[in-house]
């Protein structure tokens, strides 16, 4: 942080930044982590307006949705890199403290790419006045915290209304996202895909059924209660090889992360960067450089096992992650916890098509391994139950092991794998 930047801030904000710096130092010294979150919390407590003060004068892209936020944020930051230095979260902390931390740690950046929890988008938008808002998808997620998804759609719609000059980069394949963006003044429509449609069988505006049909351009949809509310014509789209955009633009889209959903995420990131002035060809190359994202898709060598970790947090995310599993791997561990960050209600397990693993041996793991085991039993998937995820991995045959975990199971396993790798390295 330069002295010039600090001197332009009010005294209360400077005090908040100093206190945040002290809190980060104390957290690192005590071995409690990097300290960015506690720094953000302390700063906000001292200066409740600190988010808007730090964002003033910056060009900001907000990225939100139920799934894919962290990966798309990293891709958007990469695509915006040619325009200048970009501030963004490194760890996916997408509520106020994490956003303040990202703005605090890189005050010199004039561009920001901020991942924001769906519930927080309206008030964060009021604070940072985004130039672009990326809407990825909307589906059920942690009903005990978030509530019904139609409520989130209406809140997003209201938040967008307060920022008529923002460009909304919206997934036109997602009915709820389309509804949130439909009345916006400036919308860039992206056909980013929607493999999960279980939460959009009825129109969010009229309550009448949504009718879907297959066309040469994918899956079309329309509301039976409002003739005007139907899938918009996309400005950007993709296929298995290329990305396509306005004015006849096309380019080969090669990614370092797996899955069709990530091709959709990349397309929205490119569209957003181009809306902010980036060269489309350079943006496509940049999104292709994004690999491991906060442990997602990471590969760790532990003993006789090469472990790849995937994260899924809700039915839509699980359905997409299941499609990324390599069924030729030597082992598969599925780890499920039910802590507050995961959502304590695990009834969503019955919405996930675990029947896909009826030909693959599965190890059910995590704090809620027994609940998962019951679901796998009904799915006809052969499985064993070992609550400790690290022990579950060790029980697999030597070779490649795929691990699919929900939020806290993923987080805790990442720490355990890191420690195991260090211990193994120290013994050699």
């Amino acid at each position: 942080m330069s002295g010039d930047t600090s001197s332009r801030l009010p005294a209360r904000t400077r005090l908040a930044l100093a206190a945040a710096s002290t809190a980060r130092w104390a957290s690192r010294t005590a071995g409690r982590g990097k300290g960015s979150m506690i720094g953000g919390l302390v700063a906000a407590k001292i200066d409740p307006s600190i988010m808007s003060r730090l964002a003033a004068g910056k060009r900001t892209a907000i990225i939100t949705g139920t799934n894919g936020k962290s990966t798309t944020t990293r891709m958007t930051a990469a695509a915006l890199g040619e325009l200048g230095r970009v501030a963004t979260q490194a760890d996916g902390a997408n509520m106020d403290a994490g956003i303040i931390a990202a703005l605090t740690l890189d005050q010199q950046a004039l561009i920001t790419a901020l991942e924001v929890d769906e519930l927080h988008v309206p008030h964060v938008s009021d604070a940072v006045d985004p130039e672009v808002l990326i809407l990825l998808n909307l589906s059920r997620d942690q009903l005990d915290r978030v509530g019904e998804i139609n409520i989130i759609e209406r809140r997003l719609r209201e938040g967008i209304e307060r920022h008529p000059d923002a460009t909304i980069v919206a997934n036109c394949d997602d009915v709820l996202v389309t509804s949130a963006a439909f009345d916006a003044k400036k919308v860039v429509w992206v056909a980013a895909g929607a493999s999960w449609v279980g939460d959009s069988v009825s129109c969010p505006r009229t309550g009448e059924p949504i009718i879907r049909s297959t066309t040469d351009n994918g899956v079309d949809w329309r509301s039976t209660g409002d003739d005007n509310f139907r899938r918009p014509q996309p400005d950007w789209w993709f296929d298995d090889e290329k990305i396509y955009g306005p004015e006849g633009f096309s380019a080969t889209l090669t990614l370092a992360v797996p899955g069709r959903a990530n091709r959709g995420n990349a397309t929205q990131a490119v569209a957003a960067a181009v809306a902010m002035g980036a060269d489309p060809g350079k943006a496509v190359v940049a999104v292709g450089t994004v690999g491991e994202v906060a442990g997602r898709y990471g590969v760790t060598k532990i003993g006789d096992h090469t472990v790849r970790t995937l994260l899924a947090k809700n039915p839509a995310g699980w359905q997409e992650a299941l499609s990324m599993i390599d069924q030729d791997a030597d082992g598969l561990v599925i780890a499920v916890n039910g802590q507050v960050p995961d959502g304590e209600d695990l009834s969503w397990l019955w919405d996930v098509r675990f029947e896909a693993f009826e030909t693959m041996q599965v190890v059910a793991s995590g704090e809620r391994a027994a609940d998962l085991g019951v679901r796998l039993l009904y799915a006809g998937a052969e499985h064993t139950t070992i609550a400790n995820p690290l022990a579950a991995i060790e029980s697999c045959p030597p070779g490649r092991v795929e691990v699919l975990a929900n939020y806290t199971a993923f987080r805790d396993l990442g720490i355990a794998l890191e420690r195991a790798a260090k211990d193994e390295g120290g013994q050699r």
Side-chain angles (χ1 to χ4, degrees), residues 162-363:
R162 296 202 295 268
H163 297 275
D165 293 330
T167 297
I168 314 302
V169 178
N171 179 2
C172 65
D173 290 328
D174 188 295
V175 174
L176 289 160
V177 159
T178 300
S179 180
F182 202 67
D183 302 317
K185 216 164 74 171
K186 295 189 285 186
V187 186
V188 176
W189 296 110
V190 181
S195 61
W196 177 267
V197 297
D199 296 310
S200 56
V201 295
S202 62
C203 175
R205 294 179 168 234
T206 68
E208 297 300 318
I210 291 289
I211 300 296
R212 290 179 168 82
S213 57
T214 303
T215 69
D216 292 340
N217 296 320
V219 177
D220 200 5
W221 60 262
R222 64 179 179 84
S223 170
T224 56
D226 182 349
D227 288 340
N228 294 318
F229 186 60
R230 57 180 62 231
R231 180 181 183 266
Q233 192 68 25
D235 302 294
W236 290 84
W237 66 99
F238 69 95
D239 59 24
D240 291 339
E241 295 182 1
K242 293 187 174 184
I243 179 174
Y244 305 90
E247 300 179 5
F249 173 79
S250 69
T252 299
L253 180 62
T254 303
L255 301 181
V257 291
R260 186 171 179 80
N262 280 324
R263 295 185 72 78
N265 294 338
T267 303
Q268 288 198 254
V270 170
V274 171
M276 293 179 70
D279 175 82
K282 292 179 180 178
V284 171
V285 172
V287 298
T289 65
V290 174
E292 181 180 339
V293 180
R296 298 162 176 83
Y297 322 113
V299 176
T300 307
K301 185 77 168 70
I302 300 292
D304 295 329
H305 299 109
T306 301
V307 182
R308 185 175 74 141
T309 51
L310 299 171
L311 171 68
K313 298 179 287 187
N314 46 64
W318 277 85
Q319 205 62 42
E320 196 60 50
L322 292 179
S323 71
M324 299 180 193
I325 294 292
D326 179 2
Q327 300 218 13
D328 292 327
D330 300 289
L332 170 62
V333 174
I334 302 178
V336 174
N337 286 356
Q339 299 180 22
V340 172
D342 307 302
E344 296 171 331
D345 178 1
L346 293 189
S347 60
W348 55 264
L349 281 171
W350 295 88
D351 295 323
V352 180
R353 291 192 65 256
F354 289 110
E355 286 79 5
F357 297 119
E358 59 184 0
T359 61
M360 192 176 188
Q361 180 70 34
V362 181
V363 184

Side-chain angles (χ1 to χ4, degrees), residues 11-83:
R12 186 169 185 167
T13 307
R14 295 199 301 272
L15 174 62
L17 292 172
S21 178
T22 301
R24 288 195 302 273
W25 174 83
S27 179
R28 290 194 298 267
T29 302
R32 300 295 296 271
K34 296 178 182 179
S36 57
M37 286 293 290
I38 188 63
L41 288 168
V42 168
K45 196 73 173 175
I46 295 173
D47 182 4
S49 300
I50 192 167
M51 188 188 298
S52 59
R53 297 189 193 283
L54 293 176
K58 299 184 188 295
R59 303 178 65 194
T60 298
I62 285 178
I63 299 89
T64 197
T66 309
N67 294 302
K69 291 187 291 292
S70 295
T71 301
T72 309
T73 299
R74 188 70 62 85
M75 289 176 169
T76 302
L80 289 170
E82 66 156 306
L83 301 180

Side-chain angles (χ1 to χ4, degrees), residues 375-387:
R375 175 66 186 99
L376 292 171
L377 179 66
Y378 277 87
E382 289 190 23
H383 68 280
T384 55
T385 301
I386 301 176

Side-chain angles (χ1 to χ4, degrees), residues 77-100:
L80 289 170
E82 66 156 306
L83 301 180
R85 186 164 160 180
V86 181
T88 190
Q89 299 105 315
D91 54 2
N94 56 32
M95 298 187 192
D96 291 15
I99 294 164
I100 291 168

Side-chain angles (χ1 to χ4, degrees), residues 90-113:
D91 54 2
N94 56 32
M95 298 187 192
D96 291 15
I99 294 164
I100 291 168
L103 294 171
T104 299
L105 293 172
D106 198 350
Q107 295 176 50
Q108 301 304 307
L110 295 180
I111 302 170
T112 64

